[in-house]
C-alpha cells in the first residue's frame, strides 16, 4: 500500500516560517520527490523537487525563500519555508515518483497578512 504522509502545515503570519515533512512507503523505487501546491481557484503548481544525485528544482516564486532537502534512499523529503507571503497560501502536496507519480493527501498552509 502506497502512503505519503505529510506533516507541518498550519497558520502563520506573513514573514514567518513553516517546515513541511513527508515520508513515503510502499513504493519500490523512487527517483524524485518534491512538493506541489494548489491555491484557491488556481491549478496545481510545482514548488520544489529533489531527485537522484541531489538535483534540485525550484519554482521562481519561491527561490531564495524555500529550501528542499531529502533523502531519496530513505524516501523522505522536507520543505523549509521562510519569509512566507500571503500568496503562498495553498494546499501543499508531497509527491514521489519513478515512472508513476504518487501523491499525499495534502497539508494546508495559510499565511495571514
Amino acid at each position: 500500500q502506497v502512503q505519503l504522509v505529510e506533516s507541518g502545515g498550519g497558520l502563520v503570519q506573513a514573514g514567518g516560517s513553516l517546515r513541511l515533512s513527508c515520508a513515503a512507503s510502499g513504493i519500490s523505487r523512487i527517483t524524485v520527490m518534491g512538493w506541489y501546491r494548489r491555491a484557491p481557484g488556481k491549478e496545481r503548481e510545482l514548488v520544489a523537487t529533489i531527485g537522484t544525485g541531489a538535483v534540485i528544482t525550484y519554482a521562481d516564486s519561491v527561490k531564495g525563500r524555500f529550501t528542499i532537502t531529502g533523502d531519496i534512499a530513505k524516501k523522505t523529503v522536507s520543505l523549509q519555508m521562510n519569509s512566507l507571503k500571503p500568496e503562498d497560501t495553498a494546499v501543499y502536496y508531497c509527491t514521489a515518483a519513478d515512472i508513476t507519480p504518487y501523491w499525499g493527501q495534502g497539508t494546508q498552509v495559510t499565511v495571514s497578512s
Side-chain angles (χ1 to χ4, degrees), residues 2-4 6 34-36 44 93-96 101-106:
V2 174
Q3 282 190 312
L4 280 79
E6 302 143 329
W35 297 90
Y36 282 67
R44 186 169 58 192
Y93 297 91
C94 175
T95 185
Y102 298 94
W103 299 92
Q105 293 295 311

Side-chain angles (χ1 to χ4, degrees), residues 51-111:
T52 306
V55 176
I56 291 175
T57 301
Y58 291 105
D60 288 343
S61 59
V62 307
K63 283 181 181 177
R65 301 187 298 122
F66 290 12
T67 302
I68 188 169
T69 56
D71 188 328
I72 299 299
K74 293 182 178 179
K75 301 176 184 177
T76 59
V77 65
S78 295
L79 185 70
Q80 178 65 40
M81 305 184 292
N82 298 329
S83 303
L84 283 160
K85 305 175 181 179
E87 51 264 44
D88 294 318
T89 295
V91 178
Y92 283 70
Y93 297 91
C94 175
T95 185
D98 179 14
I99 296 174
T100 302
Y102 298 94
W103 299 92
Q105 293 295 311
T107 185
Q108 178 70 46
V109 171
T110 302
V111 185

Side-chain angles (χ1 to χ4, degrees), residues 1-5 22-28 30 33 74-76 96 102:
Q1 179 181 359
V2 174
Q3 282 190 312
L4 280 79
V5 179
C22 175
S25 61
I27 305 172
S28 60
I30 295 174
M33 295 186 74
K74 293 182 178 179
K75 301 176 184 177
T76 59
Y102 298 94

